[in-house]
Amino acid sequence: MSKSRPGTDTAVFSSAEKAAIITGAALAFVLGVIGHAIHYQETGIQANFSDLLYATLGLFVLQFYGELAALPWQLDAARWLAPASLSYAAAKAIAAAMTEKITQLRINRLKGHAVICGLDAASLRTLESLRAQGIATVLVADDHGSKHLGSARANGAHVLYGNPGDVTRLARTNLRRAAYLFAVSGDDATNVEIAYHAFRQREEKGGQPPLKCAVHVESPELASALYDQPLFASDYRGFSASLFSHDQLSARWLLSEHGPDTEIGPDISTAHALRVLLLGANSLIDELVLRFACIGHYGQQERLSLGIASVEAVARLDALIAKRPALKDILHVQAQDIDLNAFNAQAAQRLVEAYRPDIVYVCADDVRRTLIWTQTLSKLSLECPVIVCDSSSGPIGSMLKDEFRTCDNFTLVNLIRASHHYDVVVNAAHDRVAMAIHEAYLDSQLQLGETQASNPSLVAWEDLPESLKDANRNQADHLRIKARILTGKLDYSSDEVSALLTDENIERLAAMEHSRWMAEKLLAGWRYTPGGKDNQRRLSPSLLRWDELPESERDKDRQTVLQMQGQIGRLGQGLTEGMPFE
């Protein structure tokens, strides 16, 4: 994303127009001075340099001081060029002012619209999905020359130019009547400030429609700190805010739609410990590692084996483990430094033979590397699935598909187009299942005699902290994995799931659910204690292997599995109804 530039105001002229106007005016001025000097000398008029300057400036406002007969060519050219450059600039400024006024009038009439603060390929995809649903969009963009502005206008966006974090610009978006706000500028702090401004506006003025606010925060550390802040700790009447990052959305979508459970086959849970190879070393790889740790539990007895290969992969993995020490206890993860810029068939073959992956994910930083790595892998006798992640916004994706269409085990996915539908960004798609899971948990715990005093999570969905909402979303995502492993199918119904919930399968899925839950807790910094649960100190007596758990704790996981059929039934076939991933 491009960085916001404080002080940037409405852009009237493009860079090329500015250069043409300045060049034309400067040329007219120079020719005017020279021409007047020649003309006055030829006509016998005495004039000093100040007179020449004054007479030349008059050309810009159609004032000519001299005799029309026998004008030198320099003056003749200047008396046309000067007013022409000024007239073009004035006409363009007036037209821009009128256009801005008309745009503002149209914005003022909107209701239930979306406001997007910032523009890049990802937010353009969000804008496109909004238009597809008939939702009007107001875009605040700080770069008049952005390559995405033409597409934004083509998708019907009402464009306001300026700093997305400028409160006066935000006020002009008719935010008080908006239904969605996407704070997606290139600066985390600016995005958080936008969210707080929107919240204060809703708080000060009642009677406004509910506003869903999605805040892009790239820094995981900042996001973790914000989770406990009041703005994100619970929903308010008329306002709810959630945090996201592009890489988190991409990783979540990728493992949901092209995870090992969808690509390898129905016997995944009975196979050897899964071996996954990730090619790349970037923030998307980091999110994929964390995502595999969180929901990569497919029923094997051994830990999932994760390999990372790229330049400086070892240092990047060490840094990630330093932040999340539990990773090394959840996954068998290793890294190998290899120059993928010079990735050739021999190096690729050695890597594949050493690691023997069941599935490969190509996550390059740019299109050039994506093409090089995919071309290299296609020359090997790879039988495992290869998922090629394309994050470009241009036509390169179609070219890659054509290039590798004969490779049956290669799947090319465009992460931006797939994962940045507006419904996904604001978590509405995930929350449909997550809310049902939380409601079922709430009912079961209340029936057991638990209270909010003994269990702070026994509150309504809107009062849950964002961290606990995410925990329910993770459980919802793992429902898909459980159902696929149980049925051996990508598409299934609640009746099919119900018919297969035998005692043996319930036990198997309950053990998977406990592994998933324990990994989530360990990643969040929880530790085992033989005493009672302590939410403040993040201590739990349930952080034990399945075979060490008391029956009372196992029953909780069994109950979670038994609730699957009802949760699937709410959403329809395969948990995919209303989830616009493609």
Side-chain angles (χ1 to χ4, degrees):
M1 290 187 175
S2 59
K3 294 286 184 182
S4 301
R5 295 189 301 272
T8 302
D9 210 320
T10 302
V12 176
F13 304 102
S14 67
S15 298
E17 286 176 319
K18 289 179 182 177
I21 291 171
I22 292 172
T23 301
L27 182 60
F29 185 81
V30 172
L31 290 175
V33 171
I34 295 172
H36 275 109
I38 296 172
H39 180 60
Y40 287 160
Q41 185 178 12
E42 290 177 348
T43 56
I45 299 175
Q46 297 295 322
N48 57 32
F49 187 70
S50 177
D51 296 327
L52 297 179
L53 293 179
Y54 186 82
T56 300
L57 290 174
L59 296 177
F60 286 89
V61 290
L62 298 176
Q63 291 186 0
F64 172 66
Y65 303 97
E67 302 292 337
L68 292 176
L71 289 178
W73 71 266
Q74 295 93 335
L75 185 54
D76 191 39
R79 69 178 183 146
W80 290 104
L81 185 58
S85 59
L86 182 62
S87 298
Y88 179 83
K92 187 69 185 292
I94 292 171
M98 292 297 296
T99 300
E100 186 176 6
K101 186 67 175 177
I102 293 171
T103 298
Q104 190 64 61
L105 289 173
R106 289 174 176 169
I107 291 172
N108 292 342
R109 297 176 61 186
L110 296 177
K111 184 178 181 180
H113 58 289
V115 176
I116 300 178
C117 297
L119 179 62
D120 66 355
S123 55
L124 176 62
R125 168 57 183 151
T126 301
L127 191 155
E128 292 171 347
S129 66
L130 287 162
R131 188 198 179 187
Q133 296 297 316
I135 301 173
T137 305
V138 178
L139 172 67
V140 182
D142 71 341
D143 188 357
H144 186 68
S146 170
K147 64 180 180 180
H148 302 296
L149 273 174
S151 297
R153 290 196 195 94
N155 278 279
H158 302 283
V159 181
L160 295 174
Y161 301 108
N163 178 6
D166 186 351
V167 173
T168 58
R169 275 282 177 267
L170 199 57
R172 292 179 54 192
T173 64
N174 195 10
L175 183 62
R176 61 187 179 84
R177 302 177 69 185
Y180 299 96
L181 172 62
F182 300 89
V184 290
S185 78
D187 182 74
D188 288 352
T190 297
N191 294 334
V192 175
E193 289 172 4
I194 291 171
Y196 272 102
H197 173 74
F199 172 65
R200 285 193 295 268
Q201 186 213 55
R202 280 297 196 276
E203 196 176 35
E204 292 169 0
K205 300 178 180 180
Q208 299 178 77
L211 180 69
K212 281 186 171 291
C213 180
V215 184
H216 180 266
V217 174
E218 188 173 349
S219 166
E221 293 77 18
L222 177 59
S224 179
L226 289 172
Y227 270 150
D228 295 328
Q229 296 302 307
L231 184 67
F232 302 99
S234 60
D235 295 343
Y236 297 84
R237 187 175 64 180
F239 183 89
S240 61
S242 60
L243 301 167
F244 78 97
S245 77
H246 296 318
D247 292 323
Q248 284 177 337
L249 288 183
S250 296
R252 170 170 254 160
W253 178 87
L254 188 59
L255 293 197
S256 178
E257 297 299 304
H258 297 282
D261 55 308
T262 67
E263 301 295 332
I264 293 175
D267 59 345
I268 181 174
S269 62
T270 60
H272 58 263
L274 286 180
R275 295 184 294 269
V276 179
L277 178 59
L278 305 176
L279 295 183
N282 48 46
S283 53
L284 175 58
I285 292 291
D286 293 348
E287 289 297 337
L288 279 174
V289 172
L290 293 173
R291 196 73 187 147
F292 268 116
C294 205
I295 68 163
H297 304 272
Y298 303 103
Q300 290 85 11
Q301 294 298 316
E302 298 179 52
R303 291 179 295 167
L304 184 146
S305 183
L306 203 60
I308 306 169
S310 186
V311 176
E312 298 182 351
V314 173
R316 191 168 191 103
L317 178 59
D318 288 344
L320 185 60
I321 291 176
K323 296 176 183 177
R324 303 291 185 99
L327 277 174
K328 59 183 182 296
D329 299 320
I330 300 169
L331 300 170
H332 178 64
V333 58
Q334 55 187 316
Q336 178 178 343
D337 288 341
I338 182 172
D339 185 5
L340 295 177
N341 292 319
F343 203 40
N344 52 50
Q346 292 77 17
Q349 187 67 48
R350 287 194 298 270
L351 179 65
V352 169
E353 288 177 353
Y355 201 74
R356 295 177 291 115
D358 297 298
I359 187 169
V360 177
Y361 292 89
V362 178
C363 304
D365 291 319
D366 54 41
V367 173
R368 179 180 64 86
R369 290 189 180 92
T370 299
L371 184 58
I372 292 173
W373 302 357
T374 307
Q375 182 69 51
T376 302
L377 290 173
S378 68
K379 295 177 181 179
L380 307 181
S381 300
L382 273 174
E383 296 181 0
C384 70
V386 178
I387 312 300
V388 181
C389 303
D390 171 31
S391 296
S392 64
S393 57
I396 190 68
S398 299
M399 186 273 286
L400 286 171
K401 281 187 176 180
D402 291 339
E403 183 75 17
F404 301 105
R405 65 182 181 275
T406 58
C407 302
D408 294 335
N409 58 325
F410 279 60
T411 301
L412 180 72
V413 296
N414 188 301
L415 294 180
I416 289 177
R417 289 205 59 80
S419 62
H420 282 74
H421 189 285
Y422 83 92
D423 201 31
V424 177
V425 175
V426 297
N427 276 323
H430 289 97
D431 287 357
R432 293 177 191 130
V433 195
M435 290 173 70
I437 289 172
H438 180 65
E439 288 171 6
Y441 173 76
L442 196 61
D443 291 342
S444 65
Q445 294 304 298
L446 291 175
Q447 289 176 12
L448 291 173
E450 291 278 358
T451 65
Q452 189 174 339
S454 60
N455 187 346
S457 62
L458 298 183
V459 295
W461 174 263
E462 57 269 18
D463 295 323
L464 273 183
E466 192 68 13
S467 56
L468 292 181
K469 287 181 179 178
D470 266 348
N472 284 288
R473 291 166 187 145
N474 289 336
Q475 187 175 337
D477 288 339
H478 203 257
L479 270 178
R480 298 160 65 92
I481 294 173
K482 292 187 184 78
R484 287 165 179 163
I485 290 174
L486 183 65
T487 63
K489 299 165 63 176
L490 296 181
D491 295 320
Y492 41 81
S493 67
S494 57
D495 289 340
E496 288 178 289
V497 170
S498 180
L500 291 169
L501 285 178
T502 62
D503 290 345
E504 180 182 354
N505 283 334
I506 290 173
E507 197 73 5
R508 180 162 61 109
L509 296 183
M512 286 174 56
E513 170 59 21
H514 179 69
S515 295
R516 184 208 65 80
W517 173 87
M518 190 162 67
E520 181 181 89
K521 289 296 186 182
L522 291 173
L523 285 172
W526 284 69
R527 292 169 293 132
Y528 169 76
T529 177
K533 182 178 179 181
D534 188 331
N535 289 292
Q536 293 296 324
R537 298 171 61 195
R538 298 191 176 187
L539 300 174
S540 172
S542 302
L543 290 174
L544 296 169
R545 294 196 313 269
W546 176 257
D547 56 5
E548 297 175 332
L549 274 181
E551 281 298 310
S552 59
E553 292 298 316
R554 293 189 189 186
D555 281 340
K556 293 179 182 179
D557 294 307
R558 292 168 184 144
Q559 189 63 33
T560 298
V561 172
L562 287 170
Q563 292 167 354
M564 283 178 59
Q565 53 186 323
Q567 290 153 359
I568 291 172
R570 293 191 184 199
L571 293 176
Q573 187 81 359
L575 286 175
T576 58
E577 182 180 317
M579 300 181 77
F581 286 117
E582 295 289 2

